Amino acid sequence: MTIVQDPVADFQLPPHNEAALEQIREAKDYESALALAAGGAALVSGGMIHPLGWVLFAMAYKPLYRVEKLARLEKLMTVLLSEFKTQGVQVFPVLKVEDNHPIDLFIRFPKKAHLIISIRSRGESEVVYNEKREILQVKKKNKSGLTTWRPCPLVELSDYERWVTKNRALFGMTSKEVTKTPTAKVLVLWSPTKAAEDHNPHLYSEMGSMKLLALRRKGTAFVIQEEEVTELVRAWLAKYEETK
């Protein structure tokens, strides 16, 4: 006889969807106000009090770019929930990973498709993939030469995928779901950063109507611009449905 165990009664998913989005907004508003206070005087004097609900989101990022990172997360989460909520999407922001940057977004369509998204910007620059060395390099506007992007976002995405697999219980996933569900690793370049347009043709792949830069280091990662996120999620879902 097969014994079916009931789910744990007090199981709770990490903050996601509207509840997490509201915390992101509160964190952004607080950090924006704090940035306007000279030297953080308002915080020191007790003039600003932060709710504990979102403080972990804000503290996950370095102070110098905390506000803009939170604003980008807010923008993407708002669009994703608007487009895919009726399809049962779960959007988990700011998942802390040991000895690494946080996972910006883990997008889960239960038992259908997963996406792990890193949001990155290097100012007014182009991102170039060095095939021989299997690294990303950055070419700054009006400057000669290339600098190596460290830590490499492609390696980080591979680490993130392993972390999600290892910590699948946090999201209520079985080992079967986490291994059988297709996972897209995505590097989202935020304007004014963009990918160079002269990569070799074999580095591109097609998904639906999209032509994607697909870089292979420790697996395949797609490199897209911020405005392409919704289209990529839609194409990834469609690709999975086609294989069923």
Side-chain angles (χ1 to χ4, degrees):
M1 178 184 294
T2 301
I3 299 175
V4 179
Q5 294 182 339
D6 293 330
V8 179
D10 60 353
F11 174 77
Q12 188 172 3
L13 290 170
H16 63 288
N17 290 13
E18 285 82 0
L21 177 57
E22 182 59 30
Q23 292 178 8
I24 292 290
R25 286 173 175 154
E26 290 178 357
K28 184 199 70 174
D29 292 345
Y30 172 78
E31 291 293 332
S32 297
L34 183 60
L36 294 175
L43 179 63
V44 174
S45 65
M48 300 179 69
I49 302 175
H50 58 73
L52 290 177
W54 54 259
V55 69
L56 293 179
F57 284 166
M59 295 301 116
Y61 298 108
K62 295 179 180 179
L64 289 178
Y65 64 99
R66 191 175 288 160
V67 174
E68 64 184 22
K69 173 67 85 169
L70 292 169
R72 291 165 183 169
L73 286 169
E74 178 189 13
K75 180 178 179 179
L76 280 190
M77 285 192 69
T78 300
V79 171
L80 289 167
L81 291 175
S82 175
E83 291 287 333
F84 301 107
K85 184 179 178 180
T86 58
Q87 294 175 256
V89 70
Q90 295 174 343
V91 184
F92 300 90
V94 196
L95 297 169
K96 290 188 176 181
V97 177
E98 301 83 1
D99 302 318
N100 216 328
H101 292 131
I103 299 174
D104 290 325
L105 293 174
F106 172 48
I107 303 171
R108 179 188 178 215
F109 294 87
K111 299 181 180 180
K112 292 182 180 179
H114 300 158
L115 299 97
I116 298 172
I117 290 182
S118 289
I119 304 168
R120 299 289 186 268
S121 180
R122 296 297 300 263
E124 292 194 40
S125 61
E126 284 190 341
V127 176
V128 179
Y129 182 60
N130 185 317
E131 290 186 72
K132 185 176 181 179
R133 298 173 60 191
E134 294 188 335
I135 60 172
L136 289 176
Q137 295 179 304
V138 179
K139 185 180 186 303
K140 287 287 187 180
K141 184 178 180 180
N142 300 324
K143 290 187 178 181
S144 60
L146 298 168
T147 58
T148 301
W149 193 340
R150 293 192 177 95
C152 179
L154 304 180
V155 175
E156 287 183 313
L157 282 165
S158 179
D159 292 341
Y160 295 158
E161 185 176 29
R162 286 196 299 271
W163 184 91
V164 169
T165 300
K166 179 181 178 182
N167 294 277
R168 59 186 179 274
L170 288 176
F171 310 98
M173 295 191 292
T174 63
S175 59
K176 180 179 180 180
E177 178 180 354
V178 81
T179 55
K180 297 294 185 180
T181 303
T183 300
K185 294 176 290 186
V186 186
L187 172 59
V188 176
L189 299 179
W190 206 274
S191 180
T193 304
K194 62 181 181 179
E197 298 180 353
D198 56 353
H199 287 96
N200 288 326
H202 68 267
L203 293 177
Y204 292 88
S205 64
E206 293 185 357
M207 189 186 307
S209 61
M210 299 186 74
K211 183 179 180 181
L212 298 165
L213 186 59
L215 304 181
R216 293 164 180 83
R217 181 175 180 185
K218 295 189 174 183
T220 299
F222 301 111
V223 181
I224 64 173
Q225 300 298 136
E226 61 188 87
E227 62 271 14
E228 297 176 305
V229 171
T230 301
E231 186 178 1
L232 174 62
V233 174
R234 191 178 293 113
W236 188 249
L237 280 172
K239 179 180 179 180
Y240 174 73
E241 292 296 335
E242 288 175 1
T243 62
K244 292 188 67 174

